[in-house]
Amino acid sequence: MARKKPPIGKGAGPDVSRRGFLAGVGGLAGATALGGAAAAQEGGPATLGPGPAKFTLRVNGQDRAVECEPRVTLLDALRERLGLTGAKRVCDRGECGACTVLLDGQPACSCMVLAVDARGRAVTTVEGLGAPGSLHPVQEAFVQADGLQCGFCTSGQVVATAALLSRTPDPTPDQAREALAGNVCRCGAYPRIVEAALAAAKALRSRGGGKR
Amino acid sequence: MSAPRDRRKLPVGLPDALREIEADVPEGEPAPWGPDSRLSVVGGRVPRVEGAEKASGAARYTSDVRLPGMLFGKVLRSPHPHARVRRVDLAPAKALPGVKAAIALAEGREVGYEGDEIAAVAAVTEEAAEDALRAIRVEYEILPFVTDLESARAPDAPAAADGPNERPGRPGGRGNVEEALASADAVIVATYRTPVQTHVPLETHGSVAQWEGDRLTVWDSTQAVHRVRDSLAQRLRKDKNSVRAICEHVGGGFGSKLGLGPSAVIAAMLAREAGAPVKVLLSRREEHLASGNRPSSVQTLRIGARKEGPLVALSLKSYGTGGVRAGAAGCSGPARGIYACPNWRVEEGDVVTNSGPACAMRAPGFVQGAFALESAMDEMAGKLGLDPLEFRRKNLRPDSALDEIRAREYGIGAEKIGWSRRTKDGSGTGVLRRGLGMANGIWGGSGGPGPVVEVTVSKDGTAGVAVGTQDIGTGTRTACAIVAAEELGLPLAAVRVRIGDTDLPFATGSGGSSTAPSVTPAVRVAAAQARASLLEAAAKILESPLAALEIAEGRVRVKGTDKSVGLFEAAGRHPSGAVTGRAQRSGNYRSFSGQTAGVQFAEVEVDTETGTVRVVKVVAVHDCGRIVNRLAAESQVIGGVVMGLSYALMEERIMDHRTGLWVNPDLENYKVLGCLECPEIEPVMLEVWNAGNSTGVMGLGEPPVVPTAGAVANAVANAIGVRVRELPITPARVLEALGRV
């Protein structure tokens, strides 16, 4: 079961394989190094913590100042420090996908990334895709297909779907299922989530191009 | 409240077989819509009114609430399955920077399971609160424990709690089962087992508490705001009007959030001590350990039948564990209700063990019971040489409305799944073997009196519906909006629904598939009152007798003329600029059926080398009275099937009985069904004119989870020719049944 999404989705194609998973784990180490380099460029301390560190995150196209201990995950920084509560904390260990965000365009579980390691990377949350009055086509498709019930997994499903469609604009149902395999929905909306993903793909293609 | 009632004739039954019953309908209540009603919104496919908020991350759940100066609360939990807490030293925790409150919860008390509450802290960050938990010193007196169901029944077993571990249930029944079994043409005796399942709401239990002087506001992830308010007030010895409970959106509950959860009490206590608002949000591990579960069951069924098919005897003896506070008794609903059987007996025991306490979970007891009963029914069909569906048809009651519904569901489901393709059990060859199975369900779902609804039509162009109910993902908000729009003749977009707040009129908890049938009738009656007021106002404006008026497309019109006035303009005639209808859900009146049936058919493919079961397709045929929103109704059915499949194939709490600890309290090793394992699911809604209340709605939250495991188990037995009598049907159990391990 390809349940896990790479913590940082480098090399995560539509077919998430064990190999892809391991490559993704490798990406984590790389990202940490990258974060350190970014910090050095900013003139920040080479070593952070254990107390709170001040740094900047690029979230939804804006630079946001964050102050938190290095042990704080990107998810908790987004939710509790930046007030972006769309990404949800459900398992807090990369098992459910409810906290999915885009890191440099790739889907990632934000509970598996330290906030300090997201420095220098473009973070996109569900709020960055669209708002109630101006929904992204993926969000609109979830509403129309009733691909949500309690709605608690929906942010993660939407972001994971947007990521899929940016790399695979015309997915097959199986490709959609594979791409969303790491996103648990306890209400059981899966068939309609897949339906939403395919409808969104169609809407995006007719708008011209899968990328926003 | 016993308003005078009018005796009315109401059409009931299946759409193509309607008849009339006489029912006493309270004065002022519109009778349920009949086949001649021209409905514009009810019964359509309406996307959720809060869909855009949920899909964009804007919807605010309890866990998303952030208040100025808010602290984070954390709970220290017992690492031991059974212990006496001699002393809790909070001082080292209180000495840490950022810690604002610390309270002991179990000093001098016994704790009865891993995860039981010991103490709690509040600090300026979650990280500081975690550090504080680690600093607390607890002195435990370790007590003997037992977590294994069978070990707990042994005469020399350690006592898990006060009283005996094994608690025999009350027997029930009628006729003489033993005599009937002795004279039956065929008898099946078999024992079925089901595991402990947890609810796994994606939003864990959590609360935010804020005191303003003596007044407390609590945001709680709950299925019952009014119950939370009342119970919390009682616990804190406060007047209930000084407590307010709010739950705008809830990330799943499935029964586990029907009562006052511990997080609300702890958050309130911490907030009082710290003098600041406190959020307590459980971790996934805490949620598994301490927030409730569906108890396990061991069910021995003995059934006897005549060779032509009719059942003559049905006996169910069961026990299971609901953890430290019991609660495992109660699997007999399906055995009592699905089939006609002149002689039946049930005896349901309970075994207390040192594990987290059980609570209601989506169709409590019925899910376990239906799996066992429906498995045994198929075993009997096999013994009699009858097709399982044919065997069940021979056990329909001729005078039962429920069985009239069920018989129709049999036909629809059989056709949709292609039941005629079904071959004899185990007749397939090759590695991958397909099988077909079906199973029945049963549930209540009539709802009941209680909820109070206000419908206000204002000159500002909106119609507001206000009721302190909850939307637990079932689409309550949308259903309320649909019913109000229908009754008022307004577009859906003009209706605003406010729910989830004890400052709104009272409503009962969202459990027992009761929300839609309890709340929507009150919405309709309140809207009808508002409509009557609007017509009166319009009559004055238009200088027309009431009888000459009609409402269409948001306007009141004098029939046969072009004289009209907008509904909102008419509302403006009232000094307050609005008219309000207010109604309380009345008691149920006579209905076609007080229960729902539900039949599911499954096709599976079993890999006989790996033991893996792949569900290919499920057809789920369900009745729910009047359908308010077909889109959401289908989603309920799909979701119930998904949860049922997850129970059938994957979910299981695993305990290490030597240490008394839970091995898989996460989402990686506690498996829930995902997108990849989800088969094609075809929901088929059978609309029934049921009466019973003003909208004719029956609940649908629980019925679709009841038959699924039985249908899958029967399909697996059909595929491989041997039966797996224990859930979940894992590859290991399939291989064992095949004699391959």
Side-chain angles (χ1 to χ4, degrees):
Chain A
M1 259 168 287
R3 199 36 94 59
K4 285 249 184 169
K5 188 170 296 165
I8 291 178
K10 294 197 172 195
D15 310 306
V16 180
S17 61
R18 182 169 294 274
R19 185 181 299 270
F21 171 70
L22 292 173
V25 173
L28 178 63
T32 309
L34 182 71
Q41 275 169 15
E42 285 172 16
T47 308
L48 297 173
K54 286 185 184 179
F55 55 97
T56 302
L57 289 180
R58 182 99 184 136
V59 184
N60 298 333
Q62 288 184 318
D63 285 331
R64 304 283 304 265
V66 181
E67 183 173 356
C68 66
E69 293 178 32
R71 60 174 156 166
V72 172
T73 62
L74 175 59
L75 173 65
D76 288 350
L78 291 169
R79 289 180 53 79
E80 303 294 350
R81 272 77 174 182
L82 300 178
L84 291 166
T85 55
K88 302 300 185 209
R89 190 164 81 184
V90 168
C91 72
D92 213 18
R93 49 189 279 177
E95 297 161 353
C96 77
C99 65
T100 304
V101 299
L102 300 180
L103 275 185
D104 293 333
Q106 296 290 327
C109 289
S110 60
C111 73
M112 298 290 278
V113 180
L114 293 176
V116 292
D117 283 341
R119 289 172 300 169
R121 313 191 66 185
V123 181
T124 307
T125 70
V126 69
E127 292 95 339
L129 295 180
S134 55
L135 292 182
H136 184 278
V138 171
Q139 294 168 324
E140 183 63 35
F142 270 74
V143 176
Q144 292 304 322
D146 208 31
L148 52 87
Q149 292 182 31
C150 83
F152 211 71
C153 72
T154 310
S155 298
Q157 306 275 6
V158 162
V159 174
T161 302
L164 162 73
L165 301 184
S166 69
R167 61 181 187 257
T168 312
D170 190 8
T172 63
D174 277 345
Q175 283 175 319
R177 277 189 276 272
E178 288 270 359
L180 297 169
N183 292 78
V184 172
C185 171
R186 186 55 159 169
C187 297
Y190 299 121
R192 288 182 161 174
I193 288 170
V194 172
E195 202 182 299
L198 300 178
K202 204 171 161 190
L204 281 164
R205 286 199 308 277
S206 69
R207 255 176 33 162
K211 293 206 173 155
R212 190 178 141 85
Chain B
M1 24 154 284
S2 50
R5 292 184 171 228
D6 296 332
R7 176 144 304 181
R8 295 196 219 171
K9 287 196 161 103
L10 305 177
V12 294
L14 294 167
D16 56 2
L18 290 177
R19 69 206 79 161
E20 281 186 337
I21 57 168
E22 284 200 342
D24 292 328
V25 178
E27 263 178 26
E29 290 202 4
W33 298 294
D36 303 332
S37 306
R38 279 169 306 168
L39 298 171
S40 55
V41 207
V42 167
R45 305 180 69 84
V46 181
R48 280 157 214 265
V49 294
E50 80 286 9
E53 280 177 76
K54 284 179 171 173
S56 63
R60 193 167 74 152
Y61 297 76
T62 301
S63 53
D64 300 332
V65 171
R66 298 164 73 238
L67 302 174
M70 187 180 80
L71 306 173
F72 295 85
K74 288 268 169 197
V75 182
L76 182 69
R77 294 180 179 276
S78 173
H80 307 295
H82 198 188
R84 184 168 293 112
V85 180
R86 284 208 185 115
R87 213 168 72 85
V88 179
D89 182 7
L90 300 170
K94 285 181 170 170
L96 290 176
V99 176
K100 302 294 184 189
I103 53 176
L105 299 166
E107 203 163 23
R109 266 202 9 230
E110 261 186 35
V111 287
Y113 60 97
E114 180 202 11
D116 210 342
E117 297 148 9
I118 304 291
V121 299
V124 292
T125 63
E126 231 180 324
E127 297 76 40
E130 278 163 12
D131 293 344
L133 287 190
R134 277 191 285 273
I136 296 172
R137 294 284 161 257
V138 186
E139 215 178 289
Y140 294 101
E141 177 190 345
I142 307 290
L143 299 174
F145 64 87
V146 60
T147 52
D148 176 55
L149 178 62
E150 298 304 334
S151 308
R153 304 174 74 210
D156 58 345
D162 289 341
N165 291 346
E166 187 153 30
R167 304 179 184 182
R170 278 179 318 202
R174 98 176 155 218
N176 189 326
V177 166
E178 301 307 327
E179 271 179 20
L181 282 171
S183 64
D185 293 329
V187 172
I188 289 286
V189 180
T191 298
Y192 305 88
R193 291 181 166 80
T194 65
V196 171
Q197 180 188 28
T198 52
H199 304 70
V200 196
L202 291 197
E203 183 181 37
T204 55
H205 283 66
S207 317
V208 179
Q210 180 179 39
W211 292 91
E212 285 156 301
D214 206 30
R215 296 182 66 82
L216 172 67
T217 302
V218 60
W219 288 261
D220 195 48
S221 183
T222 182
Q223 299 173 235
V225 285
H226 278 86
R227 193 175 301 155
V228 164
R229 193 263 316 258
D230 295 357
S231 307
L232 190 56
Q234 200 177 12
R235 278 288 289 275
L236 301 172
R237 295 195 183 84
K238 302 199 64 69
D239 158 23
K240 72 177 184 181
N241 291 313
S242 61
V243 179
R244 178 182 178 191
I246 300 172
C247 181
E248 213 178 325
H249 301 283
V250 53
F254 312 109
S256 70
K257 295 175 181 171
L258 275 168
L260 175 66
S263 60
V265 181
I266 293 172
M269 288 165 69
L270 288 170
R272 192 156 54 185
E273 180 164 319
V278 172
K279 177 194 278 190
V280 174
L281 186 63
L282 267 53
S283 69
R284 179 56 46 192
R285 183 168 180 278
E286 292 177 286
E287 182 71 25
H288 272 303
L289 290 174
S291 294
N293 57 64
R294 183 191 296 283
S296 64
S297 77
V298 177
Q299 302 174 62
T300 299
L301 276 154
R302 295 184 298 150
I303 60 177
R306 291 211 307 271
K307 60 180 186 296
E308 302 80 18
L311 290 173
V312 293
L314 175 54
S315 156
L316 167 66
K317 195 164 179 179
S318 74
Y319 60 94
T321 183
V324 73
R325 283 179 222 142
C331 301
S332 65
R336 289 167 186 263
I338 295 179
Y339 301 108
C341 185
N343 306 286
W344 61 271
R345 184 180 162 81
V346 298
E347 197 180 324
E348 303 168 271
D350 207 331
V351 181
V352 176
T353 59
N354 293 112
S355 56
C359 68
M361 178 167 179
R362 204 170 188 176
F366 281 62
V367 172
Q368 301 93 299
F371 159 68
L373 176 68
E374 291 299 275
S375 294
M377 286 294 283
D378 260 41
E379 297 206 46
M380 176 58 89
K383 193 156 192 174
L384 295 172
L386 292 173
D387 172 88
L389 182 57
E390 206 41 51
F391 172 50
R392 285 176 176 81
R393 282 192 167 118
K394 288 181 189 291
N395 283 284
L396 289 165
R397 289 158 290 209
D399 53 351
S400 154
L402 188 66
D403 282 7
E404 188 181 334
I405 295 168
R406 193 181 295 285
R408 184 66 61 90
E409 290 174 343
Y410 284 158
I412 295 169
E415 195 249 310
K416 298 262 183 199
I417 198 80
W419 189 253
S420 57
R421 295 178 295 137
R422 187 177 183 278
T423 54
K424 264 186 62 180
D425 287 351
S427 55
T429 54
V431 173
L432 300 176
R433 293 186 201 163
R434 293 243 173 159
L436 288 173
M438 55 82 58
N440 277 312
I442 188 167
W443 190 250
S446 298
V452 177
V453 176
E454 274 180 17
V455 172
T456 302
V457 182
S458 313
K459 65 178 180 186
D460 71 356
T462 61
V465 178
V467 51
T469 183
Q470 311 64 215
D471 190 334
I472 59 172
T474 52
T476 308
R477 258 190 200 82
T478 313
C480 289
I482 289 171
V483 170
E486 186 71 56
E487 191 62 28
L488 292 167
L490 285 173
L492 200 64
V495 182
R496 308 267 184 282
V497 182
R498 287 190 303 141
I499 62 170
D501 189 339
T502 52
D503 275 3
L504 299 171
F506 171 81
T508 39
S510 289
S513 302
S514 68
T515 309
S518 301
V519 175
T520 61
V523 173
R524 186 169 182 221
V525 178
Q529 287 177 14
R531 177 192 166 103
S533 301
L534 289 167
L535 283 171
E536 277 171 30
K540 286 180 190 147
I541 296 168
L542 298 170
E543 296 174 332
S544 158
L546 265 179
L549 299 180
E550 62 180 4
I551 293 184
E553 289 152 11
R555 299 189 72 78
V556 184
R557 198 177 304 278
V558 182
K559 286 178 202 162
T561 73
D562 55 1
K563 270 173 70 180
S564 72
V565 60
L567 276 182
F568 300 117
E569 203 185 328
R573 174 92 180 182
H574 195 270
S576 69
V579 300
T580 296
R582 184 183 168 96
Q584 181 161 25
R585 165 69 149 84
S586 60
N588 292 330
Y589 32 91
R590 207 172 144 213
S591 64
F592 180 60
S593 168
Q595 293 171 305
T596 53
V599 182
Q600 293 182 8
F601 291 74
E603 178 166 10
V604 302
E605 183 178 84
V606 182
D607 185 326
T608 53
E609 284 184 354
T610 65
T612 308
V613 175
R614 182 173 75 89
V615 181
V616 178
K617 182 173 181 175
V618 175
V619 172
V621 193
H622 285 272
D623 51 294
C624 63
R626 164 73 64 181
I627 294 162
V628 174
N629 182 359
R630 194 167 287 274
L631 189 65
E634 289 174 357
S635 286
Q636 273 303 295
V637 172
I638 291 169
V641 171
V642 167
M643 192 174 266
L645 291 172
S646 196
Y647 182 66
L649 299 175
M650 302 172 90
E651 292 184 46
E652 180 169 23
R653 180 185 76 183
I654 300 168
M655 303 287 291
D656 176 356
H657 298 305
R658 287 175 310 159
T659 59
L661 304 181
W662 191 348
V663 177
N664 60 340
D666 53 44
L667 284 180
E668 182 168 21
N669 299 298
Y670 185 96
K671 303 281 186 199
V672 297
L673 195 94
C675 207
L676 273 184
E677 300 87 21
C678 186
E680 180 190 352
I681 299 169
E682 185 176 352
V684 184
M685 306 308 306
L686 177 63
E687 193 156 47
V688 176
W689 273 261
N690 196 53
N693 62 59
S694 189
T695 51
V697 168
M698 290 282 277
L700 188 60
E702 282 150 305
V705 77
V706 177
T708 315
V712 170
N714 289 339
V716 169
N718 179 236
I720 61 177
V722 284
R723 183 159 288 272
V724 180
R725 296 195 181 90
E726 180 166 9
L727 298 181
I729 304 173
T730 58
R733 291 195 175 116
V734 170
L735 292 178
E736 195 186 339
L738 285 166
R740 296 214 170 190
V741 287

